[in-house]
Amino acid sequence: MDNNVPNKKLNGRRTVSDSYYRGRNEPSKLVLCEIDKGYMTITLNNARRHNILTTDMLDAIRNHMIKAKKNDTIKAVLFCSSGDYFCSGIDYSEFVECSDDKTYKILVNDLISCLRNFFTTWFSFTKPIVCAVNGPAFEFGASLVVGSDFSYSSAKASFDLMFNKLDLTPIGCVTHLLPKIVGRGLAHSMMYLGGHYSAATSFDRGLVLDMYGVNSFSEDIEKRMLQLATNSTHCLQATKRIVQFLQDDTIEDIYSEELKLYQQSLLSKETRKKMKDDWAMRINLYSDI
């Protein structure tokens, strides 16, 4: 086990964890799950690598969400992270290091299949999804925030879609959802130009519902989740069903089209070269905040 991965307690309570990771590293507890007080907390625990997401981690999150959907005692799901980053995006390290075209294509197809399954579960989830953004949310990390029902941030949070910096097209339905949240102008700027947006700016533009101090962040989030959990399961699910009613078919069409273009980008020679040249530097995986 990687000794750099902390044995986390959330709000003073021991978490139940699952080990998910394949590849060159030893298995690590990279996704933690806890059910308490009417909601499920899913914690990204890849803090050593700024909570970058492997396909196994995405599968783990999806499996927890499937369980949460079936569990009548769970009224909502909270996503949070250990360490200083919320999520720095998808792990492309195997793509960067792969020189064999056939193997590279397999990696791309596996990622696309994993993401399609993830989105199918995420966008059909019948209970509120809340993100607690404790630090930078980059690339797919920002997509998770956009795709949640609502999010809260600490003063240290920041947001950057970054897809264009890797010569990739955005995924996670951000092309449809982001303009509805922050407005067409800022959404287009984030998608076309990138840019690093602070917690204060994101709060002002409605990307996060509220912003809290760093020291009180965990306690403030717990208060909000307990407030949410006081509602009946029927009320929460019925409300979400109404909210989703007019966009269910549209959402599936959009994330499917996004994935098709994203796959084409990943397979292009230009993107492969861009990743090899710039990926570690652009995502800033191994340097301090």
Side-chain angles (χ1 to χ4, degrees):
M1 180 182 295
D2 187 346
N3 292 326
N4 291 320
V5 178
N7 186 7
K8 288 289 292 180
K9 285 185 179 180
L10 297 178
N11 300 317
R13 299 184 301 272
R14 181 72 60 184
T15 60
V16 179
S17 60
D18 295 311
S19 299
Y20 290 92
Y21 192 66
R22 63 169 174 262
R24 295 162 300 174
N25 294 346
E26 294 180 6
S28 301
K29 295 175 182 178
L30 302 182
V31 176
L32 309 178
C33 177
E34 178 192 37
I35 300 171
D36 191 41
K37 297 182 179 179
Y39 63 94
M40 173 185 281
T41 301
I42 297 174
T43 305
L44 303 182
N45 195 37
N46 197 1
R48 184 175 59 87
R49 300 188 66 216
H50 298 340
N51 290 315
I52 199 165
L53 288 167
T54 67
T55 53
D56 285 342
M57 290 175 70
L58 287 168
D59 285 342
I61 294 168
R62 177 173 174 266
N63 288 336
H64 287 312
M65 293 184 72
I66 290 172
K67 293 175 184 177
K69 187 175 182 178
K70 296 177 180 178
N71 189 332
D72 292 337
T73 68
I74 297 172
K75 297 181 179 181
V77 169
L78 171 67
F79 279 88
C80 58
S81 300
S82 62
D84 295 320
Y85 275 60
F86 175 69
C87 177
S88 58
I90 291 172
D91 186 358
Y92 299 109
S93 57
E94 288 187 279
F95 295 73
V96 172
E97 296 166 7
C98 182
S99 58
D100 179 74
D101 290 345
K102 184 177 180 180
T103 303
Y104 184 88
K105 188 173 182 180
I106 291 172
L107 289 173
V108 171
N109 290 339
D110 285 349
L111 176 59
I112 297 301
S113 177
C114 173
L115 286 168
R116 187 177 300 280
N117 290 335
F118 181 87
F119 291 143
T120 298
T121 299
W122 181 277
F123 288 112
S124 66
F125 195 67
T126 56
K127 303 172 183 182
I129 299 171
V130 182
C131 287
V133 188
N134 62 310
F138 292 159
E139 201 233 23
F140 191 69
S143 297
L144 291 177
V145 176
V146 173
S148 66
D149 290 294
F150 47 91
S151 300
Y152 302 100
S153 78
S154 79
K156 285 190 174 182
S158 59
F159 302 86
D160 192 337
L161 283 178
M162 277 196 170
F163 290 102
N164 65 319
K165 297 175 185 177
L166 296 172
D167 213 23
L168 292 169
T169 53
I171 54 174
C173 254
V174 294
T175 55
H176 174 68
L177 296 174
L178 189 59
K180 294 177 178 292
I181 298 171
V182 302
R184 183 173 180 271
L186 181 58
H188 285 194
S189 177
M190 292 177 73
M191 289 186 284
Y192 292 131
L193 303 176
H196 202 72
Y197 294 88
S198 67
T201 299
S202 302
F203 169 62
D204 288 341
R205 299 303 294 265
L207 184 57
V208 296
L209 183 59
D210 212 340
M211 181 175 65
Y212 299 114
V214 175
N215 294 332
S216 65
F217 187 59
S218 296
E219 291 77 12
D220 289 327
I221 293 300
E222 183 171 17
K223 289 177 184 176
R224 290 299 190 183
M225 292 305 298
L226 291 176
Q227 182 183 6
L228 182 64
T230 61
N231 292 278
S232 70
T233 302
H234 167 74
C235 177
L236 292 171
Q237 290 186 296
T239 300
K240 183 159 183 174
R241 186 164 62 248
I242 295 167
V243 171
Q244 290 180 326
F245 178 73
L246 295 177
Q247 63 181 20
D248 281 348
D249 292 338
T250 302
I251 289 290
E252 184 175 355
D253 289 342
I254 291 170
Y255 73 67
S256 295
E257 183 66 19
E258 285 179 345
L259 281 177
K260 183 175 75 173
L261 297 174
Y262 175 77
Q263 182 175 24
Q264 292 173 5
S265 296
L266 282 169
L267 291 171
S268 71
K269 293 180 180 179
E270 293 80 6
T271 296
R272 289 184 69 176
K273 184 178 185 306
K274 185 77 169 177
M275 280 190 173
K276 286 183 181 294
D277 293 343
D278 294 350
W279 181 65
M281 178 185 69
R282 294 285 186 180
I283 301 296
N284 196 25
L285 288 177
Y286 305 111
S287 62
D288 293 332
I289 301 174

